[in-house]
Structure formats: C-alpha cells, structure tokens
Amino acid sequence: MHNKEQVSALQLSFMIMLFEIGSTPLFLLGAKAKQDSWLAMCTGSAAGLVLLMLLMWIQYRSRHNDLIGMLALHFGKIAGSALGGMYSLYFAYQSMRNVRDLGELTALTMLPNSPMSVTMLIFVGTALYAIWKGTEVVFRLPEVLLPVVLSFYAVLVLLLGIMGSLDFNHLAPVFENGFKPIADAALPDIVSFPFGQMIVFLMLWSLWDKPGVPVKSTVTAYLLISIFLIFMNALNIAVLGPSIAGTSQLPFLKTVRTLSSLKFIERLDILVTIQLFIGLLIKMMLFYFCSVKALTGLTGKSAKWWVFPVGAVIYGASFLERDYTQHIAIGLGPSLKIDPVFQVAIPLLLAVSILLRSWFARSSS
C-alpha cells in the first residue's frame, strides 16, 4: 500500500522551487553591488550549488535517516539531541520570520486597517491545518500552486516587456568595481538567504519513495529556480535602476506599479502580493513542518502532539519585533550571521564524521 509519509521526486522538485521563490523576489538581494547585484545572485547561487551537493552527499550516505537521526548517529545521543533541539528552534524561528513577513505585507498592500494579529493567526492556522493533515497534503500544495505562481510572473514580465519598461542599460557597466564587491554582497548573505535554506531538505529527502536522494530532479529544480531568481533581480534593476531598486522596501512591487499607465488593468500589485503570499506561506509551512518533524524525531511522540505547541510559539514570537524596519534589519543583519552555523558548519562536521567512520570501518576490516 502507498505510504502517506512518502513523497515523489516531482513533489520534492516542486517544493524546492516554490520554497526557494518564497519572498526572494520581494527584495533586491546583493544591493550593495548596485547594478552588479544580479552577478552577486549568480555567485551566491553557484556557492549554494556546492552546498547543495554536500547536503545531497550527506543524505546519500545516510539514506534512511533525516537530519535528526544523522545528528544522533554521528554525535551521540546527548550532543545529537541538543543539536537536534537547536535545529527545531532554528526552523521555528525561520517560520516566525515568514509569518511576520506575511503580516507586514498584508498590512502594507491589501488590508491596512486589519489587525496584523488576525491576519497572522489565519496564516499560522492554515499551515497548522495542512501539517495536521500530514505529509501528503503538505507536498500536494506545490503541485497546484507552483504553475499558478510561475504563470503570474510570466504575465507580469510580458507586460513589462510590451510597455517598454525594461532598460537593460541600467545593468551597465558590468564589473564596474571588480569582483570583490560582488563577492562581498554574495558571501555569506545571499548564500544564507535563500540558497543555504536548502538545509531543510535534510529533513525531507528521507521521505522520498526510494532510498537516497532524487539527484537529477533536485539539481534541475535548483538550477531552474536559480536562473529565475537571477532574472527577477536583473529585472528590478532594468526597470527601476540600481539606486531606486536598492533603496526601495519592496522593489518588485514598485516595478509592477510602473505598469499603472495601462488603462485596461489596474492594481496589478495585488497580483504580485498574491504570488508572494503563496511563496511565503509555503516557506513558512515547510519550516513549521520541519520543526514539528524534528521534535517528533527527538521525543518519539506523534507529530500531532507538537503541531499546536510549535504553532503557538511561532505565532507568539512573530510579535517580538517592534516594527517592520526592525524586522528587516534583524532579518538581513544578525539573522544572516547565525545562518552559516546551521547551514554550513554543522553539515561540514557531519560530512567529516561520515568520512571518518567510513575510514575507520575500512581500516578495521
């Protein structure tokens, strides 16, 4: 019989793409590199691909374990459980950030007079319901939503091209100040967000209906979505110019509002907002799901035991930041500085442990 806790390679691919989109088009990542920010995205994507290869190799060598099982196996029960608990908190924290993004975005664009506490509660409740229903429901959502999101983006890009809003001269001169500003903008910030967040799939690849990792579909999905995000970054600069795009709170919304001269369609920014809602909701839900899954692995209790407590913590923590300015400052500042510990340092330690165990096993035999 089909196991509800198993997912297909296609479902994993769609989840990767929608997860990576998330809120990424909302911001001009690598803005410090000015008109070369798209090259910073290329650099970050390339570094992220190297990290992805490391994560897939770790999963391949621990085919039947998720991240929590790997930590317990390689670092011992006490240290492994402590690290597993830290990862559960890390995933819950990342989910909280997306809940706050959803609340702020709703207040800025669609429902300025509605209390954020209510809108954020609705989003958390929606994710809670999907996670309560199980893995199958969580992974069916991207199959439905990804084609919708990409179709909407395609329509908007087509309209921008037809209206003559694109000026690719804004992307010149290329490498004006050499490669160093590009590398500084990409490392570690763009690697941490969004590409390094692929760490969550060490919690999910073990759900694949075959042992190991769906390498081909995972790498294909990663490359396609990286090209898309690089293009969207360049698009914002081509429409707004590096100065305006770099200082705008929500540059893609500003880009779409340049289409206001169209007489037959108005309020296209609502379309953008809906797309971002979908991406953020999926991202928030997946971090939430992984936090619950981590606690399930640590305690042995059913996932349904943890869905409500984790949801309550995520919802309550989303009010800790005073306002949107502080939220963005923390998210693009201190938050990005701790990400490499969870996204790079601990996976590297896992890889070293796998190699050492393999070497000692060969030596003893």
Side-chain angles (χ1 to χ4, degrees), residues 161-239:
I162 292 172
M163 292 299 295
S165 302
L166 303 176
D167 183 1
F168 289 102
N169 289 323
H170 286 151
L171 300 176
V174 178
F175 288 109
E176 181 181 18
N177 298 306
F179 183 69
K180 189 176 184 304
I182 295 170
D184 290 342
L187 306 171
D189 293 358
I190 294 178
V191 177
S192 298
F193 173 79
F195 301 112
Q197 292 180 332
M198 287 291 293
I199 185 69
V200 297
F201 285 88
L202 278 182
M203 294 294 299
L204 304 171
W205 279 320
S206 59
L207 297 172
W208 187 35
D209 52 18
K210 298 177 184 177
V213 184
V215 175
K216 184 177 179 180
S217 55
T218 296
V219 172
T220 301
Y222 180 88
L223 291 175
L224 288 174
I225 212 61
S226 296
I227 292 167
F228 170 76
L229 294 176
I230 292 164
F231 173 76
M232 294 303 297
N233 187 287
L235 182 79
N236 284 326
I237 299 173
V239 174

Side-chain angles (χ1 to χ4, degrees), residues 245-314:
T247 55
S248 175
Q249 271 191 330
L250 305 170
F252 188 56
L253 275 176
K254 201 174 189 71
T255 294
V256 172
R257 283 171 179 163
T258 62
L259 294 171
S260 59
S261 57
L262 290 174
K263 303 301 180 185
F264 64 101
I265 299 177
E266 294 185 357
R267 296 304 307 272
L268 281 168
D269 53 333
I270 298 298
L271 190 63
V272 178
T273 305
I274 292 170
Q275 292 167 247
L276 294 171
F277 279 162
I278 293 172
L280 280 167
L281 181 62
I282 291 294
K283 198 162 197 172
M284 179 269 286
M285 182 179 67
L286 201 63
F287 277 124
Y288 182 178
F289 177 74
C290 288
S291 181
V292 169
K293 193 170 184 296
L295 287 171
T296 300
L298 289 167
T299 62
K301 292 185 179 293
S302 165
K304 292 186 177 181
W305 181 275
W306 293 108
V307 172
F308 281 93
V310 173
V313 169
I314 289 170

Side-chain angles (χ1 to χ4, degrees), residues 17 32 40 63 86 88 113 154 248 256 335 356 360 362:
M17 295 176 79
K32 291 184 290 186
R63 298 187 183 192
M86 289 170 62
S88 181
N113 297 320
S248 175
V256 172
S335 183
L356 289 175
F360 282 123
R362 285 198 303 269

Side-chain angles (χ1 to χ4, degrees), residues 148-167:
V148 175
V149 169
L150 293 180
S151 297
F152 284 171
Y153 275 113
V155 169
L156 290 171
V157 171
L158 182 63
L159 289 173
L160 287 166
I162 292 172
M163 292 299 295
S165 302
L166 303 176
D167 183 1

